[in-house]
Amino acid sequence: MVTSIIRRLIQALFVIVAMTIIVFIGVNVIGNPVDILINPDANQAERALVIAHYGLDQPLWKQYLLFLQGLLHGDFGNSFVYGRPALGLILERLPATLELAITALGIALLFGLPLGLYAGLYPNRISSKLIMSGSILGFSLPTFWVGLMLIMVFSVELGWLPTNGRGPTRELLGAQWSFLTGDGIRHLLLPAFNLALFKTSLILRLTRAGVQEVLPQDYVKFARAKGLRERRIISVHVLKNLMIPVVTIIGLEFGSLIAFSVVTESIFAWPGMGKLIIDSINLLDRPVIVAYLMMMVLLFVVLNFIIDICYTLLDPRVRLEGKA
């Protein structure tokens, strides 16, 4: 197992190196940040000075090598706009995005798993059919439209929840968190629910499909023939066999919640990484864009590695050697 873990780590390293090339070249061939950053009335001498200041006069291969050199020291360069380290800017926004993603994932699990289990165990009931119909809405409705409707209903019409922002925060472990204050939780509810809607439908349908696949299996029939209680059959034999696909989805979807929360953060003016990356793309702030994308690559690599480890804990038949 140790050999397989080392092999996985080496594979992950190759993936990260390959992504540095793709991300760096992809970002640097699009647009010219100098056209946005300097005054249009600047003369050629001033323009050349700015280009040299940001190192954009160097050939691309040399810029990439300098980028790699900085990366080894955890330095993604300074933001063109803010004049501060790009990694620092992203880490400042990370707690807000993490808080939103974890809350959204919690909501998705809280509703998706039990509803999917119920719909799988009792597929012919009207309530199950209604649940499955509702899940189609969760897939179909655009996130931005749902967000706007949530604001319209719960903020504008009813006045129950705030429309945007993060609200008051409190420090914990060196970071600011809004879930530690009552008003912060009120600010968190709408964006978290909006972000969780699609994931809830996904987990619900996956759980239902898994239940219907597991129930006809011989070991479930044998457990019933032995006279085991239905609750024990579901908790020990059904749920346990559901966990591998569910864990896979949870791991990957948690990464996507962090990486693709851009729309929700923009609608609710949530000060997280998503809003930062949108602003950076508009201004062609290359260091921030590259740092954000590389952090997402690292996040997905780590999540996939953790998922592989979880496989062996959930099902001893699954060996890392077999998947290498």
Side-chain angles (χ1 to χ4, degrees):
M1 182 170 178
V2 175
T3 305
S4 295
I5 291 176
I6 293 173
R7 191 183 301 135
R8 287 275 178 193
L9 289 173
I10 294 174
Q11 290 174 349
L13 185 62
F14 275 110
V15 169
I16 292 172
V17 172
M19 288 307 297
T20 61
I21 299 173
I22 296 171
V23 168
F24 188 84
I25 294 176
V27 171
N28 279 270
V29 297
I30 299 174
N32 187 357
V34 176
D35 294 336
I36 299 175
L37 294 173
I38 67 174
N39 191 324
D41 297 330
N43 56 39
Q44 286 299 321
E46 293 170 334
R47 186 181 178 86
L49 193 63
V50 172
I51 291 174
H53 175 72
Y54 290 121
L56 300 175
D57 56 338
Q58 303 291 332
L60 191 59
W61 63 269
K62 192 170 184 180
Q63 291 183 45
Y64 175 70
L65 291 180
L66 291 172
F67 164 72
L68 279 186
Q69 186 180 359
L71 189 62
L72 293 175
H73 298 87
D75 180 12
F76 287 87
N78 285 347
S79 163
F80 291 164
V81 177
Y82 300 96
R84 296 171 50 199
L87 185 60
L89 283 171
I90 292 175
L91 291 180
E92 280 181 6
R93 308 291 186 97
L94 181 61
T97 300
L98 269 182
E99 182 176 51
L100 183 62
I102 291 173
T103 306
L105 185 62
I107 293 173
L109 288 173
L110 183 65
F111 290 100
L113 271 178
L115 290 177
L117 186 62
Y118 177 84
L121 290 173
Y122 310 106
N124 296 321
R125 291 185 179 179
I126 295 177
S127 52
S128 297
K129 296 183 186 301
L130 289 174
I131 289 171
M132 297 312 296
S133 300
S135 70
I136 294 175
L137 287 178
F139 277 122
S140 308
L141 296 177
T143 302
F144 72 91
W145 184 83
V146 175
L148 294 175
M149 289 300 102
L150 289 174
I151 291 174
M152 182 66 70
V153 174
F154 292 100
S155 301
V156 178
E157 295 296 332
L158 300 175
W160 291 350
L161 297 170
T163 56
N164 56 50
R166 200 180 174 197
T169 58
R170 188 169 295 173
E171 185 173 346
L172 177 66
L173 301 176
Q176 297 293 325
W177 305 94
S178 59
F179 74 91
L180 296 176
T181 66
D183 198 34
I185 293 175
R186 293 179 67 248
H187 281 79
L188 181 60
L189 284 178
L190 283 186
F193 181 79
N194 185 49
L195 194 59
L197 187 60
F198 181 87
K199 310 303 178 189
T200 304
S201 301
L202 182 65
I203 293 175
L204 189 157
R205 297 187 76 86
L206 181 70
T207 304
R208 177 184 179 272
V211 170
Q212 292 194 324
E213 185 179 339
V214 169
L215 283 180
Q217 298 296 322
D218 290 339
Y219 54 84
V220 175
K221 294 178 181 176
F222 182 69
R224 283 180 171 149
K226 284 171 63 180
L228 295 180
R229 293 182 177 179
E230 191 68 16
R231 180 176 298 178
R232 179 172 174 77
I233 292 172
I234 292 171
S235 61
V236 175
H237 297 284
V238 177
L239 276 179
K240 190 174 180 182
N241 286 283
L242 280 175
M243 290 315 292
I244 288 181
V246 171
V247 165
T248 304
I249 289 298
I250 290 172
L252 295 177
E253 291 304 316
F254 180 66
S256 70
L257 280 172
I258 295 176
F260 307 124
S261 60
V262 176
V263 175
T264 298
E265 290 188 1
S266 299
I267 292 172
F268 292 93
W270 188 262
M273 294 191 302
K275 192 170 186 308
L276 175 65
I277 192 64
I278 286 292
D279 295 339
S280 300
I281 290 172
N282 288 332
L283 297 171
L284 279 180
D285 196 352
R286 287 177 179 172
V288 176
I289 299 172
V290 171
Y292 175 83
L293 293 177
M294 287 311 304
M295 283 195 65
M296 292 305 107
V297 170
L298 186 62
L299 173 68
F300 277 97
V301 168
V302 171
L303 285 175
N304 276 290
F305 183 76
I306 293 174
I307 290 170
D308 287 342
I309 299 297
C310 289
Y311 281 158
T312 58
L313 299 176
L314 291 168
D315 188 349
R317 295 171 300 176
V318 179
R319 300 298 180 194
L320 288 174
E321 288 83 0
K323 297 186 294 165

